Amino acid sequence: MTPSRRSFAHTVLAMSFAGIVACGGDVQSAPTQVTPPRDTTSTVTPSPSVLTHLGQGAVAERFTAEVWVRGTTAYTSTWGNRAGVRGNAVKIWDVSANQPQLVDSVIVANATTTGDVQVSDDGSIMLVAIEANPNGGVAIYSMANPRAPQLITRTTGGELQYGVHTAELARVNGVLYAFCSVDPANGVPARLVVLDLSTPSAPRTVWSQQMGTPFIHDVFVRDGLLFTAEWTDGVGIWDIGAQGGSVAAPRLLGRARTVGGQVHNVWWLNDPVTQNKKYLLVGQEGPGSIGSSSVGDVHVVDISNLASPVEVAVYSVPGAGTHNFSVDEAQGLAYAAYYNGGVRVLDVRGDLGSCQATQKTVDGRCNLTSMSRQRATYLGSGGVPVHVWGVHWSPSGLFASDMLNGLWRAAPGVR
């Protein structure tokens, strides 16, 4: 499949929500968490470089959410409510030059938040996740003209009505599916709903299961495996075609529980240079306040044994927390959106689970910062506060979606 990326909570600018989970489209009460042990060593590490700023597409009237790029066109979704303006728009950008230029917008009916936005691997359709209850669902657009999407269908009612927090496109055995993480609401638990999009005008549910405590945030699909970000329940590892399972009848292979929980998103690293496929990057999203604070680490999980995965490393940014990832696997560089901490670039090539004693946290995990794995940072331009929701690397370049300021473009990192 095309690798996943994704998905901060519902409030207004500058309203503090300490104790409230910032989770990509709706406000949830944060479960009690044990503060994970932090590194107490004094290892001196080199200062990371700063990515070169190339341009900005400003958005002032709405909070910018997700970003997806295909070719010379970028798509950004919008979130929540900003000074009375709802997050019901998907903005379309010309990114053929360094400076993103807004060319159009799509307004999604009855949406409060348009979270995930993704174009299929063949460029034929665009999928948009919609919150909130009772008007949740997905919208599917024809991309015959990539800069003028035409609505094919917008779901209403059914299991998706409570709000689709993230919707990820993935192709399994030649069939295109949408993996929809549905919000808990009105006493109805969160669940994962998988839609067959063979006929985009008539999405068909092929699997639906209650999942996540208290919610499921995201998925990642590749090579017949499904990884589910299930918050307190950790990361689920499912066979959907690798070892006899299927999309209609997934088989649970194992579960990874990371330090601190709050599992928000996942990326399975597949390095084409070293052929290493043993690590998951797992994003942890804690409470925060738009424009000023966030909490959460990047956890590295060794899945050499799918039935018994183990966390081996962690990356922390004091005073900031991670959200979504995008990885340039050919270069072995991971880009992590870090809200008020901007974008952080990590070297994820090679052995992430072995390190010297002085490079370990107090509980024995390798500290990627102490290992000099942080290669670069990016905080936009002009010294303005940022709150970076998403980041997207593609052959077209590196783009970051900033809730406060819109779409940033930077030069990608180099090894």
Side-chain angles (χ1 to χ4, degrees):
M1 108 143 195
T2 302
S4 174
R5 69 257 184 277
R6 310 317 130 215
S7 265
F8 196 76
H10 192 206
T11 187
V12 295
L13 178 62
M15 179 182 292
S16 173
F17 52 104
I20 299 296
V21 176
C23 56
D26 57 335
V27 175
Q28 307 286 354
S29 297
T32 301
Q33 297 289 335
V34 177
T35 302
R38 296 283 181 159
D39 184 23
T40 58
T41 67
S42 58
T43 302
V44 177
T45 58
S47 297
S49 62
V50 177
L51 297 182
T52 301
H53 171 72
L54 298 178
Q56 179 195 7
V59 178
E61 86 286 0
R62 288 176 172 87
F63 290 123
T64 298
E66 198 49 71
V67 55
W68 189 262
V69 182
R70 181 178 173 85
T72 60
T73 308
Y75 308 87
T76 56
S77 61
T78 50
W79 173 89
N81 188 301
R82 188 175 193 177
V85 181
R86 290 185 292 134
N88 61 354
V90 174
K91 294 180 178 287
I92 304 169
W93 305 86
D94 177 353
V95 292
S96 58
N98 285 340
Q99 181 70 34
Q101 298 292 331
L102 184 66
V103 295
D104 203 353
S105 295
V106 170
I107 303 301
V108 180
N110 300 317
T112 301
T113 285
T114 53
D116 278 353
V117 55
Q118 185 177 356
V119 178
S120 59
D121 54 1
D122 62 2
S124 63
I125 66 168
M126 179 174 72
L127 180 71
V128 179
I130 303 166
E131 292 173 306
N133 182 30
N135 295 312
V138 296
I140 302 172
Y141 295 83
S142 167
M143 300 298 280
N145 181 344
R147 295 186 179 175
Q150 297 298 309
L151 182 65
I152 297 174
T153 189
R154 200 274 204 215
T155 66
T156 59
E159 293 179 316
L160 305 186
Q161 67 179 309
Y162 304 113
V164 176
H165 186 68
T166 61
E168 306 297 335
L169 290 172
R171 198 173 296 275
V172 183
N173 294 327
V175 179
L176 186 65
Y177 296 95
F179 292 76
C180 304
S181 299
V182 179
D183 298 327
N186 304 331
V188 179
R191 65 176 46 243
L192 181 64
V193 177
V194 183
L195 305 177
D196 183 328
L197 300 183
S198 297
T199 304
S201 60
R204 179 175 62 89
T205 298
V206 295
W207 189 59
S208 175
Q209 179 165 307
Q210 179 180 328
M211 187 179 296
T213 303
F215 29 70
I216 177 170
H217 270 255
D218 207 350
V219 306
F220 189 98
V221 179
R222 179 186 264 168
D223 295 343
L225 293 179
L226 163 68
F227 300 90
T228 51
E230 302 179 38
W231 201 254
T232 304
D233 291 340
V235 178
I237 306 172
W238 305 78
D239 170 20
I240 58 171
Q243 302 176 20
S246 68
V247 176
R251 186 166 65 92
L252 184 63
L253 299 176
R255 188 169 295 280
R257 297 185 184 274
T258 50
V259 175
Q262 301 174 308
V263 175
H264 176 269
N265 60 307
V266 186
W267 189 293
W268 179 21
L269 294 172
N270 281 207
D271 192 321
V273 174
T274 65
Q275 306 304 311
N276 189 347
K277 299 182 179 182
K278 67 185 293 185
Y279 295 122
L280 295 182
L281 298 182
V282 178
Q284 172 190 4
E285 184 177 17
S289 181
I290 299 177
S292 60
S293 67
S294 55
V295 177
D297 297 336
V298 176
H299 302 262
V300 180
V301 175
D302 186 329
I303 59 167
S304 299
N305 183 346
L306 292 174
S308 185
V310 59
E311 181 174 349
V312 296
V314 65
Y315 171 74
S316 301
V317 176
T322 194
H323 199 222
N324 295 331
F325 307 145
S326 186
V327 181
D328 177 357
E329 293 183 329
Q331 291 293 315
L333 295 176
Y335 299 88
Y338 250 90
Y339 282 133
N340 53 297
V343 176
R344 304 300 168 115
V345 186
L346 301 176
D347 178 357
V348 292
R349 174 153 291 155
D351 189 351
L352 303 180
S354 298
C355 59
Q356 300 174 8
T358 56
Q359 297 172 329
K360 292 185 177 182
T361 63
V362 294
D363 62 358
R365 293 171 294 162
C366 289
N367 182 321
L368 297 188
T369 301
S370 298
M371 295 168 69
S372 300
R373 291 281 184 168
Q374 179 178 284
R375 290 301 180 88
T377 64
Y378 179 65
L379 282 164
S381 178
V384 298
V386 300
H387 215 72
V388 177
W389 169 300
V391 60
H392 187 101
W393 176 89
S394 78
S396 303
L398 181 67
F399 300 84
S401 55
D402 176 4
M403 295 187 76
L404 302 178
N405 302 296
L407 179 63
W408 298 102
R409 182 169 191 168
V414 295
R415 292 197 65 78

